[in-house]
Amino acid sequence: MSKTTINDVSTEPQPRGTAVEPRTVGGSRAFALLLVITGAAGLLAAWVITLDKFKILEAKARGETFTPSCSLNPIVSCGSVMESPQASAFGFPNPMLGLVTYGIVICVGMSLLARARFPRWYWLTFNAGTLFGVIFCAWLMFQSLYRINALCLWCSLAWVATIVMFWYVTSFNIRNGFLPAPDGLKRFFAEFTWVLPVTHVGIIVMLILTRWGSQLWA
């Protein structure tokens, strides 16, 4: 695989003067597009899951059963995941949280495309949000694989989108000096950021295959 680099580190000189203003940093076009694409993927997944959740509730009110289109077999069963207690971890359907958070990610990406620049506290807050997202996704993955015993394809899309945005936002902050890191780690993130989300997603795929194997296609 060829090396891919997103050059989004600010190289503009800082103004000189007695009053030093907080440094603001923008991102490259590639980084901005990555945020827009991953945010849109997560938003799409959250939107579809929300609609299917409403259809399930409406069908139950009529005494009927609604089966989401992504429910392919007993294992790949979006309906089983949507009707589980874990699907409302905070007292309301999880995808409603995604509708807000992925929308924010899209807004940040679009702002960067418009050449917006943000201070350190903004980028660290954004990074903390993506960290919460990836931890929450890890919990949902565990619940899906070992408690609910079913896999939702739309949820999987949201997981991948969250993982990719987390690692690239973390890389951005490390390379801009917003997160402390040794020079060797900065050089690694500058050249091989893609290794981390690929490895992360690869581990999840292996866990899924180990858990169910050929049952996924049964």
Side-chain angles (χ1 to χ4, degrees), residues 90-140:
F90 301 102
F92 55 86
N94 296 339
M96 296 183 69
L97 181 63
L99 292 175
V100 176
T101 55
Y102 291 122
I104 292 174
V105 174
I106 295 174
C107 289
V108 173
M110 294 299 291
S111 297
L112 294 178
L113 286 175
R115 301 182 182 277
R117 299 170 64 85
F118 304 108
R120 178 176 183 267
W121 68 264
Y122 185 97
W123 286 113
L124 291 182
T125 302
F126 189 43
N127 208 161
T130 60
L131 176 61
F132 167 79
V134 84
I135 291 174
F136 186 47
C137 285
W139 179 79
L140 291 173

Side-chain angles (χ1 to χ4, degrees), residues 3-178:
K3 180 178 73 177
T4 57
T5 304
I6 295 183
N7 297 313
D8 48 17
V9 180
S10 176
T11 57
E12 295 184 11
Q14 298 301 309
R16 297 181 180 180
T18 56
V20 179
E21 296 183 358
R23 182 169 70 104
T24 59
V25 176
S28 68
R29 182 179 178 83
F31 180 59
L33 288 174
L34 180 138
L35 292 180
V36 171
I37 292 171
T38 54
L43 185 62
L44 173 63
W47 177 251
V48 174
I49 294 172
T50 300
L51 291 180
D52 283 346
K53 180 70 173 181
F54 285 145
K55 292 177 182 178
I56 289 174
L57 294 176
E58 289 172 356
K60 280 187 174 182
R62 297 191 301 266
E64 302 172 357
T65 300
F66 172 78
T67 301
S69 59
C70 60
S71 294
L72 307 179
N73 55 48
I75 300 299
V76 183
S77 177
C78 297
S80 299
V81 176
M82 293 176 192
E83 295 188 79
S84 67
Q86 293 90 331
S88 300
F90 301 102
F92 55 86
N94 296 339
M96 296 183 69
L97 181 63
L99 292 175
V100 176
T101 55
Y102 291 122
I104 292 174
V105 174
I106 295 174
C107 289
V108 173
M110 294 299 291
S111 297
L112 294 178
L113 286 175
R115 301 182 182 277
R117 299 170 64 85
F118 304 108
R120 178 176 183 267
W121 68 264
Y122 185 97
W123 286 113
L124 291 182
T125 302
F126 189 43
N127 208 161
T130 60
L131 176 61
F132 167 79
V134 84
I135 291 174
F136 186 47
C137 285
W139 179 79
L140 291 173
M141 293 171 206
F142 175 83
Q143 296 297 319
S144 179
L145 268 67
Y146 305 108
R147 296 294 182 267
I148 304 173
N149 296 313
L151 184 67
C152 171
L153 296 180
W154 288 111
C155 298
S156 300
L157 175 61
W159 298 345
V160 173
T162 304
I163 289 168
V164 172
M165 72 175 64
F166 164 73
W167 283 115
Y168 273 94
V169 171
T170 301
S171 171
F172 176 91
N173 281 326
I174 287 177
R175 289 179 289 116
N176 276 286
F178 294 155

